[in-house]
Amino acid sequence: MSPSDSNSFQARIIEDMRAHDGNVTQGPLAGHPLLIMTSTGSKTGLARQAILTYSREGNDYVVAGTDGGAPSDPAWMGNLRANPEVTVETGNRTFQATANVVEGTERDRLWTRHVETLPWFRPYPQKADRVIPIVRLTPA
């Protein structure tokens, strides 16, 4: 998929989500729990949107930096490490949040819960041959 195809695909998903209270109603992501996270580009300083599948931990949203099982972290991980203040859009709600990259036993616990909720994530560590980062998005 070329970058312009990817941007078009993302734009269609965001349009669908916004038209249906945060729910994707068509295509391969229909029915998945998705949010739109806007971070600040670590190199450009520009707003960057990512559509992420999430699980919940109390009031927090938990996302995994799988990049579909790619061997490297998705670009948004670098953005969060440089600037953890993000905007999250889910359902019909938009709010500010702080992103915390979780490490150690807490990361392992959240990964296990994430995979229990979203079992299609299970093969990503082997496919990627890396530890998948886990991020907790805490509403401000």
Side-chain angles (χ1 to χ4, degrees):
M1 185 180 301
S2 75
S4 63
D5 291 341
S6 178
N7 291 340
S8 177
F9 177 71
Q10 180 172 302
R12 286 192 307 274
I13 292 172
I14 290 172
E15 183 179 332
D16 189 23
M17 290 173 72
R18 289 180 175 158
H20 298 99
D21 290 325
N23 298 305
V24 176
T25 62
Q26 54 192 326
L29 298 176
H32 288 226
L34 299 176
L35 59 79
I36 302 164
M37 181 187 71
T38 304
S39 60
T40 302
S42 61
K43 295 177 185 166
T44 66
L46 299 174
R48 300 292 187 204
Q49 289 183 321
I51 300 168
L52 305 172
T53 306
Y54 67 87
S55 58
R56 297 294 304 265
E57 170 86 352
N59 291 328
D60 295 345
Y61 293 78
V62 176
V63 296
T66 64
D67 201 14
S72 59
D73 290 346
W76 56 263
M77 284 298 305
N79 296 345
L80 299 184
R81 287 182 173 113
N83 183 358
E85 303 309 314
V86 299
T87 301
V88 175
E89 187 177 339
T90 183
N92 56 9
R93 185 173 162 230
T94 301
F95 56 91
Q96 299 302 303
T98 301
N100 178 33
V101 180
V102 183
E103 304 287 343
T105 58
E106 180 68 357
R107 179 250 166 241
D108 296 344
R109 184 185 70 76
L110 289 175
W111 172 258
T112 298
R113 288 195 71 224
H114 195 70
V115 170
E116 286 170 357
T117 304
L118 308 164
W120 57 89
F121 277 75
R122 190 173 316 281
Y124 285 143
Q126 291 75 32
K127 182 178 177 185
D129 194 29
R130 64 185 170 93
V131 174
I132 302 295
I134 293 289
V135 178
R136 181 188 292 268
L137 302 173
T138 303

